[in-house]
mmCIF file with all atom_site columns, all heavy atoms in Angstrom:
data_model
loop_
_atom_site.group_PDB
_atom_site.id
_atom_site.type_symbol
_atom_site.label_atom_id
_atom_site.label_alt_id
_atom_site.label_comp_id
_atom_site.label_asym_id
_atom_site.label_entity_id
_atom_site.label_seq_id
_atom_site.pdbx_PDB_ins_code
_atom_site.Cartn_x
_atom_site.Cartn_y
_atom_site.Cartn_z
_atom_site.occupancy
_atom_site.B_iso_or_equiv
_atom_site.pdbx_formal_charge
_atom_site.auth_seq_id
_atom_site.auth_comp_id
_atom_site.auth_asym_id
_atom_site.auth_atom_id
_atom_site.pdbx_PDB_model_num
ATOM   1  N  N   . CYS A 1 38 ? 17.085 -11.215 4.239  1.00 93.00 ? 56  CYS A N   1
ATOM   2  C  CA  . CYS A 1 38 ? 15.975 -12.160 4.369  1.00 93.00 ? 56  CYS A CA  1
ATOM   3  C  C   . CYS A 1 38 ? 14.679 -11.440 4.758  1.00 93.00 ? 56  CYS A C   1
ATOM   4  O  O   . CYS A 1 38 ? 14.662 -10.657 5.701  1.00 93.00 ? 56  CYS A O   1
ATOM   5  C  CB  . CYS A 1 38 ? 16.310 -13.207 5.417  1.00 93.00 ? 56  CYS A CB  1
ATOM   6  S  SG  . CYS A 1 38 ? 14.983 -14.397 5.638  1.00 93.00 ? 56  CYS A SG  1
ATOM   7  N  N   . PHE A 1 40 ? 12.158 -12.885 5.977  1.00 89.00 ? 58  PHE A N   1
ATOM   8  C  CA  . PHE A 1 40 ? 11.468 -13.655 7.018  1.00 89.00 ? 58  PHE A CA  1
ATOM   9  C  C   . PHE A 1 40 ? 12.075 -13.471 8.396  1.00 89.00 ? 58  PHE A C   1
ATOM   10 O  O   . PHE A 1 40 ? 11.488 -13.802 9.401  1.00 89.00 ? 58  PHE A O   1
ATOM   11 C  CB  . PHE A 1 40 ? 11.455 -15.148 6.658  1.00 89.00 ? 58  PHE A CB  1
ATOM   12 C  CG  . PHE A 1 40 ? 10.838 -15.414 5.315  1.00 89.00 ? 58  PHE A CG  1
ATOM   13 C  CD1 . PHE A 1 40 ? 11.578 -15.955 4.279  1.00 89.00 ? 58  PHE A CD1 1
ATOM   14 C  CD2 . PHE A 1 40 ? 9.509  -15.078 5.078  1.00 89.00 ? 58  PHE A CD2 1
ATOM   15 C  CE1 . PHE A 1 40 ? 11.011 -16.190 3.038  1.00 89.00 ? 58  PHE A CE1 1
ATOM   16 C  CE2 . PHE A 1 40 ? 8.940  -15.299 3.841  1.00 89.00 ? 58  PHE A CE2 1
ATOM   17 C  CZ  . PHE A 1 40 ? 9.683  -15.851 2.811  1.00 89.00 ? 58  PHE A CZ  1
ATOM   18 N  N   . HIS A 1 41 ? 13.295 -13.011 8.448  1.00 89.00 ? 59  HIS A N   1
ATOM   19 C  CA  . HIS A 1 41 ? 13.840 -12.670 9.762  1.00 89.00 ? 59  HIS A CA  1
ATOM   20 C  C   . HIS A 1 41 ? 14.614 -11.356 9.628  1.00 89.00 ? 59  HIS A C   1
ATOM   21 O  O   . HIS A 1 41 ? 14.932 -10.919 8.526  1.00 89.00 ? 59  HIS A O   1
ATOM   22 C  CB  . HIS A 1 41 ? 14.694 -13.822 10.332 1.00 89.00 ? 59  HIS A CB  1
ATOM   23 C  CG  . HIS A 1 41 ? 16.102 -13.877 9.821  1.00 89.00 ? 59  HIS A CG  1
ATOM   24 N  ND1 . HIS A 1 41 ? 16.445 -14.456 8.614  1.00 89.00 ? 59  HIS A ND1 1
ATOM   25 C  CD2 . HIS A 1 41 ? 17.254 -13.408 10.355 1.00 89.00 ? 59  HIS A CD2 1
ATOM   26 C  CE1 . HIS A 1 41 ? 17.752 -14.363 8.436  1.00 89.00 ? 59  HIS A CE1 1
ATOM   27 N  NE2 . HIS A 1 41 ? 18.274 -13.719 9.474  1.00 89.00 ? 59  HIS A NE2 1
ATOM   28 N  N   . PHE A 1 48 ? 20.238 -14.487 2.827  1.00 96.00 ? 66  PHE A N   1
ATOM   29 C  CA  . PHE A 1 48 ? 19.145 -15.071 2.052  1.00 96.00 ? 66  PHE A CA  1
ATOM   30 C  C   . PHE A 1 48 ? 19.620 -15.244 0.605  1.00 96.00 ? 66  PHE A C   1
ATOM   31 O  O   . PHE A 1 48 ? 19.995 -14.284 -0.056 1.00 96.00 ? 66  PHE A O   1
ATOM   32 C  CB  . PHE A 1 48 ? 17.949 -14.118 2.117  1.00 96.00 ? 66  PHE A CB  1
ATOM   33 C  CG  . PHE A 1 48 ? 16.750 -14.570 1.334  1.00 96.00 ? 66  PHE A CG  1
ATOM   34 C  CD1 . PHE A 1 48 ? 15.828 -15.451 1.886  1.00 96.00 ? 66  PHE A CD1 1
ATOM   35 C  CD2 . PHE A 1 48 ? 16.522 -14.091 0.052  1.00 96.00 ? 66  PHE A CD2 1
ATOM   36 C  CE1 . PHE A 1 48 ? 14.708 -15.851 1.168  1.00 96.00 ? 66  PHE A CE1 1
ATOM   37 C  CE2 . PHE A 1 48 ? 15.407 -14.485 -0.668 1.00 96.00 ? 66  PHE A CE2 1
ATOM   38 C  CZ  . PHE A 1 48 ? 14.502 -15.363 -0.101 1.00 96.00 ? 66  PHE A CZ  1
ATOM   39 N  N   . CYS A 1 59 ? 17.451 -19.477 3.077  1.00 96.00 ? 77  CYS A N   1
ATOM   40 C  CA  . CYS A 1 59 ? 18.043 -18.526 4.009  1.00 96.00 ? 77  CYS A CA  1
ATOM   41 C  C   . CYS A 1 59 ? 18.943 -19.276 4.978  1.00 96.00 ? 77  CYS A C   1
ATOM   42 O  O   . CYS A 1 59 ? 18.509 -20.222 5.628  1.00 96.00 ? 77  CYS A O   1
ATOM   43 C  CB  . CYS A 1 59 ? 16.960 -17.780 4.792  1.00 96.00 ? 77  CYS A CB  1
ATOM   44 S  SG  . CYS A 1 59 ? 17.689 -16.708 6.047  1.00 96.00 ? 77  CYS A SG  1
ATOM   45 N  N   . GLY A 1 61 ? 20.176 -17.926 7.545  1.00 93.00 ? 79  GLY A N   1
ATOM   46 C  CA  . GLY A 1 61 ? 19.959 -17.396 8.889  1.00 93.00 ? 79  GLY A CA  1
ATOM   47 C  C   . GLY A 1 61 ? 18.839 -18.133 9.601  1.00 93.00 ? 79  GLY A C   1
ATOM   48 O  O   . GLY A 1 61 ? 19.018 -18.686 10.676 1.00 93.00 ? 79  GLY A O   1
ATOM   49 N  N   . CYS A 1 62 ? 17.650 -18.165 8.969  1.00 93.00 ? 80  CYS A N   1
ATOM   50 C  CA  . CYS A 1 62 ? 16.489 -18.746 9.644  1.00 93.00 ? 80  CYS A CA  1
ATOM   51 C  C   . CYS A 1 62 ? 16.104 -20.109 9.081  1.00 93.00 ? 80  CYS A C   1
ATOM   52 O  O   . CYS A 1 62 ? 15.221 -20.774 9.608  1.00 93.00 ? 80  CYS A O   1
ATOM   53 C  CB  . CYS A 1 62 ? 15.299 -17.788 9.587  1.00 93.00 ? 80  CYS A CB  1
ATOM   54 S  SG  . CYS A 1 62 ? 14.651 -17.503 7.931  1.00 93.00 ? 80  CYS A SG  1
ATOM   55 N  N   . GLY A 1 63 ? 16.741 -20.505 7.984  1.00 93.00 ? 81  GLY A N   1
ATOM   56 C  CA  . GLY A 1 63 ? 16.503 -21.852 7.484  1.00 93.00 ? 81  GLY A CA  1
ATOM   57 C  C   . GLY A 1 63 ? 15.338 -22.006 6.509  1.00 93.00 ? 81  GLY A C   1
ATOM   58 O  O   . GLY A 1 63 ? 15.115 -23.082 5.976  1.00 93.00 ? 81  GLY A O   1
HETATM 59 ZN ZN1 . ZN  B 2 .  ? 15.904 -15.757 7.090  1.00 90.60 ? 619 ZN  B ZN1 1
#
Side-chain angles (χ1 to χ4, degrees):
C56 180
F58 304 116
H59 82 278
F66 179 85
C77 175
C80 66

